[in-house]
Amino acid sequence: MYQFVTGPLAWLAFIIFFFGLVLRIVLYVRGLDWKLDRVTYSVNVSYGIKGAIRSIIFWIFPFGTRSMRKNPVFTVMVFVFHIGLLITPVFLLAHNVILEEKWGISFWTLPETVSDILTIAVIVSALFLILRRIALPEVRIITNAYDYLLMVISTAPFITGFLAYHQVSGYEFWLILHILSAEVMLVAIPFTKLSHMVLFFLSRGQLGMDYGIKRGGMKGYNLSW
Amino acid sequence: MAEGTLCNRKMINTREALLELLADKSGKLYYEEMNQLDVQTNALAETIRATCKSRIRTWLEICTHCGLCAESCFFYLANNNDPKQVPSYKIQSTLGEIVKRKGNVDNAFMQMTMDTAWAKCTCCNRCGMYCPMGIDMGVMFGYLRGLCFSQGFVPWEMKIGSGMHRIFRAQMDVTVEDWVETCDWMREEWEDDYPGLEIPVDKKGADIIYTVNAREAKHYPEDIAEAAVLFHLAGENWTVPSEGWELTSLAMFAGDWEACKMQVETVYDAMYRLNPKQMVATECGHAYRATVLEGPYWAGLKTGKPPVDSIHYVEWVADALRTGKLKIDPDKKIKEPVTYQDSCNYIRSGGLSDAAREIMSYIAEDFREMTPNREHNFCCGGGGGLNGIGRYRQERNAGLKVKRDQILASGAKLVVSPCHNCWDAIRDLEEVYEDGIRWSFLKPLLLKMVIVPEHLKPAESEAT
Ligand code: HEM
């Protein structure tokens, strides 16, 4: 079982993840239409690029925008959630040990207490985000089961990994569940709105181009996000 | 296949059809007929397939339902944080559903969609600035209006408006003759006070081609005179076109993209014909957006720009004050606290907030910003055509509250409002709430405080 989930299944998951995301990017870009979108993507390019970069940069740093500054707690939680989500798996010691064993490569690694804290942070911030969905009427009305499912898919690898690492009873069981849930997540990313992992940049970039070209950018105005 | 005689999927292309529709006071019969109007689900599906591309599909898909757009929407705030006013909810429950169901929706659904698209969104695009994913729901509502229009589910006044553009190339029944006569009339009325005043029509190769909002021609002709006087005092070499003088686009509010194209092309034709250096657009927000920002795309101009460099009136004024073409009498500057209504369509969507501030620095001693301001400012409450739709008067009036609070908080009782829509909304806001707020375009204010050069003064005043 372990052989299977870490072997062929893992390969399959990574391939689907990678090519799936590439496909999402290609489809997105191919579906852009300068006339329908009313943005001259291939004319006024320098303005477009500038607008796109501004739009991404301001939104990728905490409190870079008025929207985030107005919602400080939420902003912190979303950033904590994502930092844990993205950093932990890549720089986790245990993952790098496996990489080293298999392919002889390894990244810089996190001290284990740090990765432990990050994992807990992911789980706690996820809990916060779930409670927020229930508590706030303006979020509740737009929330559906799919949102919770995605939360489960995103956090399951962390919960199971945490349990496996701390060797609660049934290490083997949690480990396999951990690997499976991570594979589910990888496969889910291109096919669900977790695809925002790349579409965030494309969508933000697109709106940035709109502002950078048509909505004032060519007048030399730098929109304050 | 049921269609009404008035409420149907046909375009208004003849005067007879327009008059018939206008005769139906407040659209009484029109809305009754709308209850019987079938949805052509196949046509809707086909339109979606052809025009709903990756940008909008992605927006609909990746919305993480975080709710940050809620507080960005003045309708949400004005309606006591009603969750049904959350922009994400509004668009997902209308356009989102139509796309998901591939156009397979019924009459009741389309009416609900129409009520949402025109009475719960003014396409002010503010939510797009508050969404982490860069989802601009205002843009989607604009698109949704187009879908509604194509199926005949459009407010009565919007159907009329788009018909006006189709027939008169103006949002009102003002013909080329009416327009040219109005210009002549205004020159005659005002030339005694301003000797040598001209309103040159169709002058080729002028520096400026000036274009207006049909309301000015029809209801506020003195606005044209004021513009002429200010150009005159500034010594501009300017002209107005006989055809292609109208910038506005109720067709854009209606979602009638074909009429949008027809309308802007008359203006662009005037540019080609008269070959001016620059176009100056009157004090109107959506007109600027339609003709200068979106128009090139409707007309298929690959540069994304109108045929000649085009600026908004506030840019011309800021420049005229900066370069001294217009000089302000310091004693006549506005002394009382005064605030500025940032119009969504040329400030948020046009990036012109600096020009507005620059003007205020020349004409006002006690300028008060609203909070928030510039591109973060709230819609006046009447944008997107909402001011003009009788069916949604209640919703519009409720939405005005946010602007009212902003104005009152600024401590100013005078609002400079160089946009017809904002101007109307603030006028109506005063009518509803009676706070003693006054509002004004720039032109009349400038005229009161501008220094008239000696050689342009009338003979009598030289004697006194
Ligand atoms: C570089 C990559 C990523 C970026 C830039 C990014 C960005 C974002 C943004 C902007 C939001 C919206 C937060 C908000 O509403 O304020 C979000 C939400 C979310 N992201 Fe990501 N994300 C990334 C990767 C991921 C990955 C890899 C996952 C999981 C596999 C993920 C899972 C989620 C979830 C579950 C939410 C919803 C949070 C909630 O329920 O409120 N993200 N992300």
Side-chain angles (χ1 to χ4, degrees):
Chain A
M1 185 68 181
Y2 180 79
Q3 291 302 324
F4 178 69
V5 293
T6 54
L9 212 53
W11 274 108
L12 194 64
F14 275 108
I15 287 169
I16 292 175
F17 166 75
F18 181 77
F19 287 102
L21 284 182
V22 171
L23 187 67
R24 292 303 302 243
I25 295 171
V26 172
L27 288 179
Y28 182 86
V29 174
R30 276 186 40 186
L32 291 176
D33 183 312
W34 74 274
K35 254 172 120 172
L36 286 173
D37 302 349
R38 298 185 215 145
V39 181
T40 55
Y41 297 114
S42 52
V43 189
N44 316 310
V45 178
S46 62
Y47 290 101
I49 291 177
K50 184 178 169 208
I53 291 176
R54 289 185 87 250
S55 168
I56 293 168
I57 297 281
F58 278 98
W59 282 93
I60 212 158
F61 289 104
F63 304 106
T65 65
R66 188 167 193 271
S67 187
M68 289 196 248
R69 289 190 291 275
K70 285 193 73 182
N71 295 277
V73 179
F74 176 63
T75 299
V76 168
M77 289 298 177
V78 168
F79 273 91
V80 166
F81 177 70
H82 278 85
I83 289 168
L85 210 58
L86 295 168
I87 302 270
T88 323
V90 180
F91 300 111
L92 188 84
L93 181 63
H95 290 174
N96 281 279
V97 169
I98 299 171
L99 277 182
E100 179 82 53
E101 276 173 10
K102 289 207 163 167
W103 297 332
I105 55 162
S106 104
F107 300 105
W108 171 86
T109 58
L110 288 166
E112 296 204 291
T113 37
V114 176
S115 46
D116 237 19
I117 291 169
L118 280 174
T119 304
I120 294 168
V122 169
I123 297 165
V124 170
S125 52
L127 268 177
F128 168 87
L129 291 171
I130 288 171
L131 291 176
R132 178 178 173 276
R133 285 196 180 281
I134 299 165
L136 302 184
E138 75 269 27
V139 191
R140 200 186 317 137
I141 192 168
I142 43 183
T143 295
N144 51 30
Y146 182 35
D147 295 318
Y148 293 116
L149 176 66
L150 290 181
M151 215 30 141
V152 171
I153 292 177
S154 322
T155 46
F158 291 81
I159 299 170
T160 50
F162 187 79
L163 293 175
Y165 173 74
H166 289 277
Q167 317 253 336
V168 265
S169 58
Y171 170 74
E172 186 90 353
F173 169 78
W174 288 117
L175 183 66
I176 287 181
L177 214 55
H178 169 66
I179 297 164
L180 275 175
S181 63
E183 286 162 354
V184 167
M185 181 180 94
L186 285 174
V187 172
I189 287 175
F191 299 109
T192 63
K193 62 177 142 185
L194 296 177
S195 55
H196 73 261
M197 191 176 173
V198 290
L199 291 174
F200 165 88
F201 296 93
L202 296 171
S203 172
R204 279 241 65 86
Q206 193 280 333
L207 190 67
M209 288 181 103
D210 194 333
Y211 273 103
I213 293 171
K214 183 179 65 185
R215 304 196 216 176
M218 289 202 293
K219 293 268 183 183
Y221 192 74
N222 284 328
L223 178 87
S224 95
W225 280 107
Chain B
M1 277 290 152
E3 277 191 279
T5 52
L6 300 176
C7 187
N8 50 43
R9 289 177 290 274
K10 296 184 196 75
M11 305 300 142
I12 304 286
N13 283 318
T14 62
R15 289 189 191 214
E16 296 71 52
L18 183 64
L19 287 175
E20 213 184 320
L21 193 57
L22 279 166
D24 176 30
K25 272 265 159 265
S26 325
K28 207 164 165 297
L29 176 63
Y30 177 87
Y31 288 122
E32 264 167 38
E33 286 182 358
M34 191 179 283
N35 294 327
Q36 315 303 324
L37 185 62
D38 281 344
V39 186
Q40 284 186 314
T41 53
N42 287 341
L44 195 52
E46 175 51 29
T47 308
I48 292 168
R49 195 200 56 73
T51 60
C52 189
K53 299 285 190 67
S54 66
R55 176 182 65 158
I56 290 183
R57 282 184 192 276
T58 303
W59 277 345
L60 288 171
E61 182 188 346
I62 66 171
C63 169
T64 58
H65 301 155
C66 73
L68 286 195
C69 54
E71 290 190 342
S72 75
C73 180
F74 72 95
F75 275 122
Y76 173 79
L77 300 174
N79 290 287
N80 305 316
N81 300 356
D82 178 0
K84 292 223 150 99
Q85 291 281 1
V86 174
S88 168
Y89 175 78
K90 288 186 277 195
I91 199 69
Q92 298 276 351
S93 60
T94 53
L95 179 62
E97 276 300 304
I98 296 178
V99 172
K100 203 183 296 169
R101 296 195 218 161
K102 299 203 163 58
N104 204 353
V105 293
D106 60 14
N107 180 296
F109 188 90
M110 285 306 282
Q111 290 205 39
M112 179 279 285
T113 298
M114 176 184 88
D115 292 341
T116 310
W118 275 276
K120 294 183 171 186
C121 177
T122 60
C123 301
C124 81
N125 298 73
R126 192 169 188 268
C127 47
M129 293 190 60
Y130 288 75
C131 170
M133 293 292 180
I135 302 172
D136 194 326
M137 287 146 275
V139 169
M140 285 199 273
F141 269 111
Y143 174 73
L144 180 61
R145 287 179 177 200
L147 295 184
C148 289
F149 183 88
S150 71
Q151 290 294 317
F153 290 88
V154 54
W156 180 68
E157 292 87 346
M158 295 289 108
K159 182 94 179 192
I160 293 171
S162 96
M164 288 283 182
H165 284 291
R166 286 170 172 272
I167 297 160
F168 295 98
R169 297 295 186 273
Q171 63 159 283
M172 293 175 174
D173 51 352
V174 180
T175 61
V176 166
E177 294 73 40
D178 296 338
W179 156 246
V180 173
E181 269 172 34
T182 306
C183 290
D184 279 347
W185 168 42
M186 280 297 114
R187 176 186 46 75
E188 281 167 22
E189 289 260 306
W190 287 58
E191 70 185 346
D192 284 350
D193 290 336
Y194 298 94
L197 181 69
E198 277 188 284
I199 303 185
V201 180
D202 281 344
K203 182 158 112 189
K204 288 209 163 80
D207 291 340
I208 291 173
I209 188 175
Y210 179 63
T211 46
V212 306
N213 178 324
R215 278 166 33 122
E216 293 165 5
K218 180 136 177 146
H219 298 305
Y220 307 100
E222 60 284 4
D223 195 281
I224 300 163
E226 289 161 357
V229 170
L230 289 165
F231 284 141
H232 175 63
L233 298 181
E236 297 285 18
N237 170 14
W238 70 293
T239 188
V240 293
S242 55
E243 267 176 75
W245 52 276
E246 152 75 316
L247 288 182
T248 69
S249 187
L250 290 187
M252 173 171 79
F253 291 158
D256 180 357
W257 310 124
E258 198 183 40
C260 285
K261 181 172 190 294
M262 294 176 180
Q263 178 63 46
V264 294
E265 283 181 341
T266 61
V267 182
Y268 298 164
D269 284 346
M271 293 179 179
Y272 292 127
R273 185 160 48 86
L274 301 176
N275 199 24
K277 292 206 181 72
Q278 197 173 45
M279 181 185 86
V280 175
T282 191
E283 297 176 66
C284 184
H286 93 275
Y288 176 82
R289 176 163 170 189
T291 305
V292 181
L293 305 179
E294 317 280 9
Y297 297 91
W298 297 328
L301 304 183
K302 290 214 161 61
T303 56
K305 292 182 205 162
V308 305
D309 177 41
S310 299
I311 63 172
H312 189 270
Y313 201 70
V314 297
E315 294 178 275
W316 180 77
V317 173
D319 182 72
L321 292 172
R322 188 187 321 125
T323 55
K325 279 189 217 167
L326 289 179
K327 288 200 177 63
I328 299 296
D329 182 342
D331 293 337
K332 295 188 181 156
K333 280 178 150 191
I334 304 168
K335 306 267 184 310
E336 64 173 315
V338 52
T339 187
Y340 188 97
Q341 162 58 13
D342 286 300
S343 152
C344 306
N345 282 329
Y346 67 89
I347 300 282
R348 177 159 35 255
S349 288
L352 301 183
S353 63
D354 287 339
R357 273 45 199 188
E358 194 178 354
I359 295 170
M360 295 312 285
S361 77
Y362 285 105
I363 67 170
E365 287 185 358
D366 186 2
F367 171 53
R368 310 276 181 93
E369 287 279 10
M370 289 187 208
T371 322
N373 51 49
R374 296 183 178 242
E375 56 269 36
H376 287 277
N377 193 22
F378 286 107
C379 170
C380 59
L386 185 55
N387 271 336
I389 306 176
R391 181 179 166 105
Y392 305 133
R393 187 56 20 152
Q394 282 305 316
E395 288 85 343
R396 202 285 310 262
N397 287 351
L400 294 173
K401 266 187 267 175
V402 171
K403 185 52 56 188
R404 173 183 181 241
D405 291 347
Q406 266 192 300
I407 295 172
L408 293 179
S410 77
K413 286 280 160 111
L414 175 61
V415 187
V416 175
S417 176
C419 167
H420 276 266
N421 249 312
C422 303
W423 190 94
D424 277 9
I426 296 167
R427 177 197 62 199
D428 292 1
L429 176 160
E430 176 56 25
E431 199 176 291
V432 178
Y433 297 102
E434 301 185 355
D435 298 305
I437 292 168
R438 283 165 293 117
W439 59 95
S440 179
F441 286 112
L442 278 170
K443 294 179 198 104
L445 292 173
L446 288 168
L447 219 50
K448 272 190 250 164
M449 56 180 96
V450 70
I451 297 175
V452 180
E454 279 309 319
H455 68 284
L456 295 180
K457 284 187 180 160
E460 319 95 13
S461 79
E462 264 168 18
T464 51

